[in-house]
Amino acid sequence: MISKKSTIRDVSQLAGVSISTVSRVLNNREKARTIPAEVRKRVLACAEQLNYVPNANARRVFTHRAGIIGLLVPSHTRMNMHIFEDGHLTRLISGVEAGIENSDFRLLLIFNDKRFMDDREYMSLIQSQNIDGLLVWGAQPSETFWQEPVEAGLPIVFAVTVPGPLEQYNYTINATRAGTRKALELLASHGHRRILQLHETRNAFLERQMDAEIAEFLRERPGITIDVQDIRSSGDEIAVPLFRRPGAPTAVLAYNYSMGVEAYGRLAEAGIRVPDEIEIVSCYSYQSRKSWVSTVVVDDYEIGRTAVKNLQKLIESPDRRLQAEIPFSFFFGQTTRNAADVPTP
């Protein structure tokens, strides 16, 4: 004989409360906080006694929610690497996990591949209630399709990078411009008047943020010159001969930590002493105590945590503009003089 499956009505009758109260206790932790503790305990005890398990489809109909947040990341073909080899992404995911730990949401990983764009999944996933909102990591200015879901008011938060003018989007990003300014001010305070910038072409958003701050800095400091080398177009190697010429740069401003390490190694091989002859500062890194390159350190964990918290607010109230900029820290390594903290490589 097949036993009858318990329903939410059975739980409400046994507990002596309304069906909506049972639903709030079992399906919505936030709203359940307004229910007296004694009532919550009674509902949970009755549900356990009846072996009642909420039906996911019924819950979706009742709450108009899937209980799922999507995390969109570039496919490995677009990144030209295995995505979980990216330390920034793994730290961001840890922050996202912390941000939804005590919520009703679960996380769904989605890849930003050709199908995602061609099938307009950036619209259908939310509109069909497969997910409640989307957290986007790795968006680029070339992705013009983001205008459509944003204009439709769908709950989307961009993390780290933004595909267009900042004022048009909900985002949680690094304080990239402030970090770049910190690196420039440090080199200028050490007397450098000619600096080599190692340029990155892969991440257009961060590159534009840095370039905008550098341009503003140069307008304020007309006595400083910055030469630019596209690190990719020269075989990922710093142009060492440049430092042997009269009036050569006396410092390197590296886009990220890896470029700073590359510069350090190439200059050392050429017999150029760092930091006595050349100082190196990186503008973008998650490294800190294990570093020997002086660097701006971004907090990807906090970006992930804040971004997913703001996304939950958007899901509740879509008519918002939630924009956050997470502060950076600065680590003094062996590649700048007068280092406050010099670890062993």
Side-chain angles (χ1 to χ4, degrees):
M1 180 178 178
I2 300 175
S3 60
K4 179 185 175 183
K5 187 176 181 180
S6 298
T7 67
I8 192 171
R9 185 179 299 278
D10 297 329
V11 177
S12 72
Q13 290 176 348
L14 183 61
V17 298
S18 67
I19 291 176
S20 63
T21 297
V22 175
S23 177
R24 286 162 62 195
V25 171
L26 299 181
N27 298 324
N28 195 315
R29 297 178 193 174
E30 289 294 327
K31 292 183 179 179
R33 292 176 182 174
T34 62
I35 299 173
E38 184 275 328
V39 174
R40 293 201 305 270
K41 289 180 181 179
R42 188 166 74 247
V43 169
L44 292 172
C46 291
E48 183 177 1
Q49 179 181 335
L50 295 172
N51 292 320
Y52 172 71
V53 178
N55 181 278
N57 290 327
R59 178 170 54 197
R60 182 178 300 183
V61 171
F62 185 83
T63 64
H64 303 289
R65 298 277 169 77
I68 297 173
I69 284 175
L71 172 61
L72 183 73
V73 301
S75 64
H76 75 279
T77 54
R78 295 185 62 198
M79 290 188 67
N80 295 316
M81 64 183 293
H82 296 298
I83 62 168
F84 292 111
E85 291 179 353
D86 191 300
H88 292 286
L89 176 59
T90 55
R91 284 162 175 77
L92 179 129
I93 291 175
S94 294
V96 171
E97 179 191 11
I100 63 172
E101 185 176 13
N102 295 316
S103 75
D104 293 319
F105 292 102
R106 293 294 177 263
L107 190 68
L108 176 66
L109 186 64
I110 305 169
F111 293 100
N112 188 356
D113 53 17
K114 188 175 184 298
R115 182 176 61 180
F116 178 84
M117 292 180 282
D118 291 348
D119 294 347
R120 296 176 65 248
E121 291 182 355
Y122 48 86
M123 297 291 291
S124 62
L125 283 170
I126 299 176
Q127 290 177 329
S128 62
Q129 294 185 3
N130 287 313
I131 62 175
D132 297 309
L134 191 61
L135 182 61
V136 182
W137 183 83
Q140 293 300 323
S142 60
E143 297 174 347
T144 56
F145 61 83
W146 287 117
Q147 283 288 338
E148 184 180 5
V150 169
E151 289 175 359
L154 300 184
I156 298 175
V157 172
F158 294 90
V160 181
T161 62
V162 180
L166 291 177
E167 64 273 11
Q168 297 179 11
Y169 298 92
N170 296 300
Y171 61 77
T172 304
I173 60 174
N174 306 304
T176 303
R177 292 192 61 158
T180 303
R181 170 67 64 144
K182 168 67 177 180
L184 290 167
E185 293 283 4
L186 175 67
L187 294 176
S189 71
H190 287 191
H192 298 289
R193 294 298 174 263
R194 194 174 196 96
I195 300 167
L196 176 65
Q197 177 195 1
L198 299 183
H199 206 247
E200 164 68 59
T201 58
R202 183 176 62 179
N203 197 322
F205 173 79
L206 294 177
E207 179 188 79
R208 291 180 185 183
Q209 290 283 295
M210 291 178 183
D211 286 349
E213 190 61 35
I214 290 171
E216 184 172 312
F217 178 81
L218 291 176
R219 285 193 294 270
E220 298 171 5
R221 303 289 188 92
I224 295 178
T225 300
I226 294 183
D227 302 313
V228 179
Q229 181 190 354
D230 184 344
I231 200 71
R232 289 194 155 206
S233 67
S234 56
D236 289 341
E237 294 181 354
I238 186 172
V240 173
L242 181 65
F243 293 92
R244 300 298 193 189
R245 301 171 185 171
T250 57
V252 172
L253 181 70
Y255 165 78
N256 59 25
Y257 178 78
S258 297
M259 287 188 182
V261 172
E262 175 75 13
Y264 183 93
R266 294 292 296 172
L267 291 170
E269 289 175 4
I272 298 174
R273 292 174 298 150
V274 178
D276 297 333
E277 296 179 78
I278 302 291
E279 290 193 276
I280 303 172
V281 175
S282 158
C283 288
Y284 186 71
S285 174
Y286 58 80
Q287 307 281 348
S288 57
R289 290 292 169 183
K290 295 182 180 179
S291 303
W292 71 88
V293 173
S294 296
T295 185
V296 174
V297 180
V298 299
D299 192 346
D300 293 289
Y301 176 92
E302 185 57 31
I303 290 173
R305 194 191 71 83
T306 301
V308 80
K309 286 284 189 182
N310 283 346
L311 181 56
Q312 291 171 69
K313 294 176 184 177
L314 277 179
I315 292 170
E316 292 291 336
S317 303
D319 298 329
R320 293 188 180 194
R321 182 66 76 215
L322 295 176
Q323 300 172 334
E325 194 170 276
I326 305 303
F328 65 91
S329 58
F330 192 87
F331 179 79
F332 288 92
Q334 289 189 341
T335 60
T336 51
R337 296 190 295 271
N338 304 319
D341 185 8
V342 181
T344 302

